[in-house]
Amino acid sequence: MKKAGSIVLATLLSLSVFAGCSSSTQSDSGSGAPASGSEAGSTPAASTAEGDQVTFKFMHQWAEEDRLPYWDNLVNSYMEKNPNVKIETEVVPNEPYKEKIRVMLGGNDVPDLFFTWDGEWVSRFAKNGAILELDSLMSDEFKGSFNQGILTTGQVDGKQYSLPIRTCVNFVLYNTKIFEENSITIPKTWNEFMDVCETLKSAGVTPIALGNGEGWAAAHYISALNVQLVPWDTLNDDYYLTTGAFDDPGYVEALNLLKGMNDKGYFMDGMPSTSQNIAREMFNAGQTAMIYDQCASFKSYYLDKMEEGSWDVFALPVVEGAKGDLDMMVAWVDQFAVSSTCKSPETVIDFLEYFYNEENQLQMQKDLGFVSTISAVATSPEDSFPQLIKAMDIINQCKGFIAVIDLEMDGSVASVYQSDIQELFTTKSPEQIMSEVQAEAARVKAEQ
């Protein structure tokens, strides 16, 4: 949730996500290599290639075998063009990445260039002086190449602290064959959604795949329901600890709706301890009728693994009569940031210019399915597909975006909130959960 710019982002996203917002897929050649004809940044590249020996550390989270080749080849091709530059790459898988970066930023061994998220992550790093302001390091041409609405997701107090990599938005994916066999139409409201789940359950079909073993997948539902059930100004003031009250009844209602889905057996057995990747595989295999997942997963987890036409998407249905903003969607924007301890920021920026040039961005979209945040690239219709086109049509009609709770709000409050959601399915009531969130918010607010 951006206090400013989220509505602008919704409009501008139509220019930036058409070509494909997906996590990863094997390239046609299997190499994942950036385009061979790509050139490094213009003027800075020349000085970089001819200058003194420079070494910098680069850390990212794309460790999967169908993601890693692109990044390895990007780094290697840049070093080939700039033989005086050595890039030491560290790859940390997604789950341990957050803790890893927290520990590193609290010590002295900080990577010069690293992956992070928008929202509270970039804000906290910037306000603690852990990352560099990038405005003075970027040329007007480079900065102007980005979709300017999406670029704001890396800004803090109007200054650029990180650069956007891709945008992710959540949708409900459904098995078209199962829906047809049970004469199910796409639900528009929450009550209709629950009726669909009941119909599927009665037919012996597990309605929804959800794997909350890592503790975040269920929180995505709560993130989306909160924005529907809690008035926007209240949500904004709570998330950003302007008040931090978290006492609106909509928060409890959101938890009750999710708990009700589990209590009625709409998720598969063992959901709290199952990984989301296992849940994805179950949906792929036709063992469940639906899954709630991000467009960053469309290409690699579904398009490349399911029969053509066997799945489609719709937006999470709205809760009728809800007091929140029904025209908002859950989204988050991955970022690259430069450490404030970096000794060669000009070289790091030159590498980023290389990554963001049009040829390497087109290669990224083709090999990984990531949506480019460079305007000239993102408007390309190459490598799109029907489900993504439908998702983009839905996105273009929404008013703005709110990030998931672990990215949008204070980290300590989000940690309590998200871990308590896991216990929603076992030992804690919605009221108890919100009481603990309120207590943590009050504690953090008092410290601030």
Side-chain angles (χ1 to χ4, degrees):
M1 173 174 52
K2 308 299 167 209
K3 286 189 173 181
S6 60
I7 296 177
V8 175
L9 178 59
T11 303
L12 294 180
L13 196 59
S14 63
L15 298 176
S16 65
V17 292
F18 181 76
C21 179
S22 174
S23 287
S24 62
T25 185
Q26 193 74 18
S27 67
D28 293 342
S29 65
S31 67
S36 59
S38 302
E39 297 295 334
S42 55
T43 303
S47 60
T48 298
E50 299 169 3
D52 296 333
Q53 186 67 38
V54 175
T55 299
F56 72 83
K57 296 180 179 180
F58 172 38
M59 188 169 80
H60 67 80
Q61 62 150 302
W62 292 295
E64 295 84 352
E65 63 180 12
D66 57 351
R67 299 180 179 187
L68 189 57
Y70 173 84
W71 298 101
D72 284 348
N73 283 282
L74 177 79
V75 168
N76 290 334
S77 64
Y78 179 83
M79 290 193 293
E80 287 176 4
K81 295 175 184 295
N82 298 274
N84 66 310
V85 177
K86 180 180 180 182
I87 302 174
E88 297 177 349
T89 305
E90 181 177 5
V91 186
V92 180
N94 181 66
E95 291 310 317
Y97 190 92
K98 291 180 182 179
E99 184 59 29
K100 172 79 171 180
I101 197 66
R102 283 193 185 104
V103 172
M104 294 184 74
L105 289 171
N108 297 319
D109 186 23
V110 183
D112 300 283
L113 173 65
F114 61 92
F115 167 94
T116 185
W117 296 268
D118 62 342
E120 175 64 18
W121 281 83
V122 169
S123 178
R124 180 67 64 88
F125 291 158
K127 292 178 179 178
N128 287 343
I131 56 178
L132 288 177
E133 178 190 334
L134 302 179
D135 293 295
S136 62
L137 295 169
M138 299 171 64
S139 67
D140 291 340
E141 181 181 4
F142 181 34
K143 192 171 183 179
S145 66
F146 287 89
N147 179 296
Q148 297 301 294
I150 293 177
L151 192 64
T152 64
T153 62
Q155 294 176 3
V156 179
D157 297 331
K159 298 178 181 179
Q160 199 72 42
Y161 281 93
S162 62
L163 298 179
I165 306 168
R166 62 172 183 168
T167 302
C168 306
V169 183
N170 275 340
F171 290 89
V172 179
L173 286 68
Y174 69 95
N175 184 301
T176 54
K177 182 179 180 181
I178 292 176
F179 268 46
E180 290 171 2
E181 289 175 346
N182 292 277
S183 302
I184 295 173
T185 57
I186 304 303
K188 302 296 183 183
T189 69
W190 191 264
N191 286 338
E192 291 175 355
F193 187 32
M194 294 302 98
D195 288 343
V196 167
C197 290
E198 189 61 35
T199 296
L200 291 165
K201 180 186 174 183
S202 298
V205 177
T206 300
I208 302 173
L210 171 63
N212 205 49
E214 297 88 3
W216 55 265
H220 285 199
Y221 279 92
I222 297 301
S223 299
L225 288 169
N226 279 355
V227 77
Q228 292 194 34
L229 295 167
V230 180
W232 178 256
D233 289 342
T234 301
L235 194 73
N236 190 81
D237 289 345
D238 288 342
Y239 276 26
Y240 282 93
L241 300 184
T242 303
T243 60
F246 288 97
D247 58 2
D248 190 276
Y251 293 113
V252 170
E253 184 178 355
L255 291 165
N256 272 318
L257 289 178
L258 184 61
K259 184 177 186 299
M261 295 172 72
N262 185 63
D263 290 347
K264 294 174 183 176
Y266 295 161
F267 302 128
M268 70 279 199
D269 292 339
M271 175 270 291
S273 59
T274 302
S275 75
Q276 182 68 349
N277 280 345
I278 294 297
R280 288 164 171 158
E281 291 175 5
M282 292 179 67
F283 176 75
N284 289 341
Q287 296 173 4
T288 72
M290 294 177 284
I291 189 170
Y292 188 50
D293 209 348
Q294 61 209 29
C295 62
S297 299
F298 282 8
K299 193 164 189 274
S300 60
Y301 288 106
Y302 306 109
L303 184 70
D304 294 343
K305 296 182 179 180
M306 298 181 70
E307 293 183 7
E308 184 177 354
S310 65
W311 63 283
D312 209 336
V313 302
F314 60 87
L316 188 71
V318 298
V319 180
E320 290 183 295
K323 297 179 180 179
D325 196 324
L326 304 183
D327 295 321
M328 302 290 287
M329 297 185 74
V330 170
W332 59 100
V333 183
D334 294 338
Q335 308 277 326
F336 277 140
V338 181
S339 168
S340 58
T341 62
C342 178
K343 295 180 180 179
S344 303
E346 293 83 4
T347 303
V348 174
I349 291 296
D350 187 72
F351 172 69
L352 286 171
E353 287 193 15
Y354 182 63
F355 165 61
Y356 285 108
N357 74 30
E358 291 189 18
E359 288 184 86
N360 282 333
Q361 289 290 289
L362 284 169
Q363 193 74 33
M364 178 190 71
Q365 288 191 162
K366 178 182 179 181
D367 291 352
L368 305 184
F370 287 13
V371 55
S372 175
T373 56
I374 300 300
S375 295
V377 176
T379 53
S380 169
E382 297 179 16
D383 301 312
S384 191
F385 46 92
Q387 296 90 341
L388 184 64
I389 292 172
K390 179 180 285 189
M392 295 309 104
D393 287 342
I394 295 170
I395 288 172
N396 293 339
Q397 296 175 43
C398 80
K399 186 170 70 176
F401 301 104
I402 177 173
V404 289
I405 58 177
D406 63 319
L407 303 183
E408 198 61 62
M409 62 176 64
D410 174 86
S412 296
V413 180
S415 179
V416 170
Y417 204 162
Q418 189 163 289
S419 63
D420 276 8
I421 291 172
Q422 178 74 308
E423 295 185 67
L424 173 70
F425 309 113
T426 53
T427 60
K428 290 185 178 178
S429 69
E431 291 79 9
Q432 184 179 0
I433 289 172
M434 292 317 303
S435 177
E436 292 180 5
V437 171
Q438 291 163 9
E440 183 63 13
R443 185 192 68 79
V444 173
K445 192 170 185 296
E447 288 183 354
Q448 292 177 349

